[in-house]
Amino acid sequence: MFLLQAPEVRELELFSSLPESLRRRKRSAWADANRGGAIVDSFLEGPVFDGSGNLYVTDIPWGRILRIDPQGNWSLITEYDGEPNGMKFLDADTLLITDYKNGLMCLNIESGQVSPYLERRNSERFKGVNDLVFDSQGNLYFTDQGQSGLQDPSGRLYRLRPNGQLDLLLSNVPSPNGVALSPDERVLYLAVTRGNCIWRVPLLSDGSVSKVSQFFTSYGPSGPDGLAVDVEGRLLVANPGLGYVWVLNSRAEPVQVLRSMPGISTTNLAFGGTDRCDLYVTDSTHGHVLRATMSVQGLQLHRLGSKGKN
């Protein structure tokens, strides 16, 4: 990669850590399959903010949803038989969860009740859904990653329309992960973890996609994971294998690199704060949430339907 100007390098700071009382130091089926059988006390992902400034995160191996208040205090919202990953709000009281084990699930944050939203497609189970984003019309885009990779490039990208129609947009992705939309919603950015890159997916007016291209190429042991977009259209990419967050301009050039300590796995992103200029980053392997103050606001996220936003 040739850059006319070196990117600005900044350090991520620690916002809050999972309390010892909430850490589970024992084996799990998820860690046996995905972390080589290591003892994993938590694996945090899926950060999303409510209207009061509370941050919600998932804990994949233990099927937990946790809430962190603006002061950094943690509480358990629910624990269930699942492997929750990405989350977005359906409405003020309901989180929609991409659950690797169960499909799309709903959580009422007041009662803690978890219920199915979309478990299967035409009676077939998903490979293992991963991340999701709504557009302004209520269309839901979500990835179905499973164990796909370069050895099996069969991961999928779906769109679920408000009327219940489910469209398969891509079925040839080697590990589709994070998703984010451009400000004009004409382009979907797709993290391709095992391909160590970001795909650019044009969304056409007839509902199809065409001329999908590779927008950005990273390097290292684990490729891009979570994505976010700011109001200027810059793409922010969490890169767990490097412990970086790339901030990319419209030409996919890194203009900033947000850096964590060595060995930290930066997985998912969410803009928060009163002006949406604080970027929060999950460090999944250590149970931390990191933070950086940005000069540009994060793009406002949509809920189900154009009237609901957070």
Side-chain angles (χ1 to χ4, degrees):
M1 181 186 299
F2 172 74
L3 298 176
L4 291 173
Q5 183 173 339
E8 176 190 9
V9 179
R10 301 174 55 206
E11 305 299 324
L12 290 161
E13 64 178 18
L14 177 65
F15 166 62
S16 187
S17 294
L18 182 69
E20 187 64 31
S21 61
L22 289 171
R23 293 179 183 266
R24 299 250 176 103
R25 302 190 187 280
K26 58 183 181 179
R27 288 184 62 178
S28 67
W30 180 88
D32 286 346
N34 294 281
R35 307 297 291 180
I39 300 299
V40 176
D41 63 24
S42 63
F43 199 89
L44 306 179
E45 292 213 6
V48 63
F49 280 91
D50 67 14
S52 300
N54 299 301
L55 176 63
Y56 295 78
V57 295
T58 60
D59 179 17
I60 299 175
W62 306 115
R64 298 188 294 181
I65 310 299
L66 301 153
R67 179 167 54 209
I68 313 166
D69 71 17
Q71 290 72 46
N73 301 305
W74 297 64
S75 57
L76 176 65
I77 300 302
T78 196
E79 181 174 349
Y80 70 103
D81 182 16
E83 294 175 354
N85 202 313
M87 297 190 294
K88 293 292 185 293
F89 274 95
L90 274 170
D91 55 49
D93 300 317
T94 311
L95 280 166
L96 183 61
I97 304 167
T98 45
D99 184 308
Y100 186 95
K101 189 174 184 179
N102 299 306
L104 297 178
M105 305 292 285
C106 283
L107 166 66
N108 183 290
I109 60 174
E110 297 302 324
S111 68
Q113 182 177 356
V114 178
S115 57
Y117 189 80
L118 181 65
E119 297 177 284
R120 302 192 295 174
R121 174 181 183 262
N122 296 334
S123 76
E124 179 186 41
R125 290 284 180 183
F126 293 108
K127 287 176 171 288
V129 293
N130 186 282
D131 200 12
L132 70 170
V133 67
F134 282 105
D135 70 13
S136 60
Q137 304 304 308
N139 295 298
L140 175 69
Y141 297 87
F142 66 96
T143 51
D144 188 21
Q145 182 185 53
Q147 297 295 307
S148 63
L150 293 176
Q151 88 292 348
D152 175 23
S154 62
R156 304 160 179 164
L157 171 67
Y158 286 104
R159 175 180 54 223
L160 180 62
R161 303 182 190 229
N163 65 3
Q165 178 179 326
L166 184 63
D167 305 318
L168 177 59
L169 301 180
L170 295 173
S171 60
N172 64 330
V173 190
S175 194
N177 201 324
V179 283
L181 292 165
S182 63
D184 63 8
E185 300 185 349
R186 294 181 179 179
V187 171
L188 181 140
Y189 295 104
L190 174 63
V192 181
T193 302
R194 308 305 163 208
N196 223 327
C197 61
I198 304 293
W199 285 10
R200 183 182 185 275
V201 183
L203 302 173
L204 305 185
S205 58
D206 66 357
S208 66
V209 302
S210 182
K211 296 184 178 179
V212 177
S213 61
Q214 189 158 305
F215 178 70
F216 173 73
T217 303
S218 185
Y219 60 92
S222 180
D225 192 330
L227 305 178
V229 174
D230 67 24
V231 296
E232 292 184 356
R234 302 187 306 178
L235 180 66
L236 289 79
V237 181
N239 205 137
L242 303 174
Y244 292 171
V245 174
W246 302 103
V247 183
L248 308 176
N249 65 17
S250 61
R251 296 170 17 148
E253 297 167 330
V255 294
Q256 286 187 4
V257 178
L258 308 179
R259 186 173 60 182
S260 62
M261 297 293 291
I264 285 180
S265 182
T266 48
T267 52
N268 281 194
L269 312 168
F271 279 100
T274 55
D275 55 2
R276 295 197 314 279
C277 283
D278 292 329
L279 182 72
Y280 291 78
V281 184
T282 49
D283 165 19
S284 298
T285 52
H286 295 83
H288 300 328
V289 176
L290 311 176
R291 180 172 61 184
T293 299
M294 309 299 291
S295 60
V296 181
Q297 283 185 321
L299 196 65
Q300 194 171 40
L301 294 178
H302 294 282
R303 299 177 181 175
L304 181 60
S306 57
K307 294 183 181 180
K309 299 179 180 180
N310 62 305

